[in-house]
Amino acid sequence: MPVLPSPLALRKLRKGEYCELYFFTNKGLVDAQAYLPSVDDEALAITQDGQGLHSFVPVAAARAKQSVIEDKDLTWPQIDEAMHRILQAMKENGWDQKRLESHLGFWMALGEHEWRHNAEETSRKALIIYQAMARRRWHDTLGTAHLFNLKYINEELLSKVRRELTHKAHNWAIKQANEVSPQNYRALSPRLSSFYSQKPSLIHHTLHHFTCPGFTPQCPWDRTHYTATLHVAPASITWHSIWLLRPLSLHFT
């Protein structure tokens, strides 16, 4: 017996509306299977959207919404799980062939994009956020002059998403570095404490250096006296700068 997605997801597809991929992931299908309908499901519950507006929706829809993972927060394995299932559900619920082909081309183009298996997490995450934005925008432009073919990747928008992610990660790393006091630095390790007493301004300078754009893992001070080794790859520094705050993240000799 096939495992069916949530009735809420099927109603959305039947109406041609935007439907979250979550409903077609392994987790979404398990949640749907575990759900037991009740006579109260058609009763109305009040909900609040992201803009603070209230509306009445069926209790079943409100329950399902609480467990939904938004498309932008999915992982690539979850997207791969859901992609073929939602396409099959679209077909079974009367979606036009051209729209089916557009969605198929969309997910294939994302899967074949050079960032899909990029070592830099920011690039992979940018693709995930882009797929959420693009599919939502496609639904919003249905029936308007702004409708576009989903299968063509908007590289300009994709690059903008990655820049914003990189900027946020950089700001987060700087904020974390600035929140750590000199006393906390001295507590990291005896070796670092001893070094810190000799160079009291060096730690803040080093953290700033490591979290700046264009970072290269080079020692910013006199190499004849000190060396530094960072335990993360340069390509992922924006996501892992917090490692600088861990014991022995920096080794001084």
Side-chain angles (χ1 to χ4, degrees):
M1 179 180 296
V3 178
L4 297 176
S6 163
L8 174 62
L10 294 179
R11 282 200 295 271
K12 286 185 174 184
L13 292 181
R14 203 170 294 125
K15 295 178 181 180
E17 297 177 352
Y18 172 84
C19 180
E20 292 84 354
L21 290 176
Y22 160 81
F23 291 111
F24 297 89
T25 63
N26 291 345
K27 185 180 186 306
L29 293 177
V30 169
D31 289 348
Q33 192 174 23
Y35 171 70
L36 296 176
S38 71
V39 294
D40 295 328
D41 286 349
E42 296 305 316
L44 296 179
I46 188 169
T47 62
Q48 184 176 5
D49 61 21
Q51 298 178 337
L53 300 177
H54 293 82
S55 61
F56 288 95
V57 298
V59 170
R63 287 175 180 169
K65 187 175 181 180
Q66 292 176 355
S67 62
V68 169
I69 301 173
E70 295 185 27
D71 282 4
K72 66 181 179 64
D73 297 321
L74 293 175
T75 63
W76 270 113
Q78 288 175 319
I79 293 174
D80 291 338
E81 292 168 5
M83 177 178 61
H84 298 291
R85 292 169 179 163
I86 194 172
L87 283 170
Q88 181 63 30
M90 288 174 175
K91 182 177 181 181
E92 293 173 355
N93 284 276
W95 280 49
D96 180 83
Q97 184 64 28
K98 289 185 177 180
R99 292 185 179 181
L100 289 174
E101 292 175 355
S102 178
H103 279 75
L104 175 59
F106 172 64
W107 281 308
M108 288 183 64
L110 290 175
E112 296 170 356
H113 196 277
E114 60 179 336
W115 292 359
R116 172 65 177 83
H117 299 287
N118 195 301
E120 184 180 300
E121 183 180 355
T122 307
S123 297
R124 302 195 304 273
K125 182 63 178 179
L127 275 177
I128 292 176
I129 294 178
Y130 171 83
Q131 64 84 26
M133 293 174 59
R135 203 161 66 86
R136 172 72 76 173
R137 183 174 296 182
W138 182 86
H139 277 274
D140 290 343
T141 57
L142 282 174
T144 73
H146 302 289
L147 183 62
F148 59 98
N149 194 326
L150 191 61
K151 72 177 182 179
Y152 297 114
I153 303 297
N154 185 332
E155 295 291 345
E156 183 178 349
L157 176 59
L158 179 58
S159 295
K160 180 181 178 181
V161 171
R162 186 171 69 167
R163 287 195 301 271
E164 290 177 353
L165 285 175
T166 301
H167 180 70
K168 288 179 180 179
H170 173 68
N171 287 344
W172 177 84
I174 293 295
K175 180 176 181 293
Q176 294 298 313
N178 290 336
E179 288 178 353
V180 179
S181 67
Q183 290 75 18
N184 289 335
Y185 283 125
R186 287 196 290 271
L188 291 180
S189 72
R191 296 175 67 190
L192 185 55
S193 176
S194 174
F195 179 78
Y196 183 87
S197 64
Q198 301 174 41
K199 296 284 183 177
S201 64
L202 187 55
I203 302 299
H204 283 288
H205 174 75
T206 303
L207 284 170
H208 175 73
H209 174 78
F210 282 156
T211 53
C212 282
F215 159 79
T216 55
Q218 297 176 347
C219 186
W221 56 88
D222 187 356
R223 295 187 184 86
T224 62
H225 294 90
Y226 309 99
T227 59
T229 302
L230 190 63
H231 279 202
V232 290
S236 60
I237 183 62
T238 55
W239 287 104
H240 301 287
S241 297
I242 192 60
W243 278 49
L244 289 167
L245 310 183
R246 295 172 49 129
L248 301 183
S249 285
L250 291 174
H251 293 285
F252 301 96
T253 58

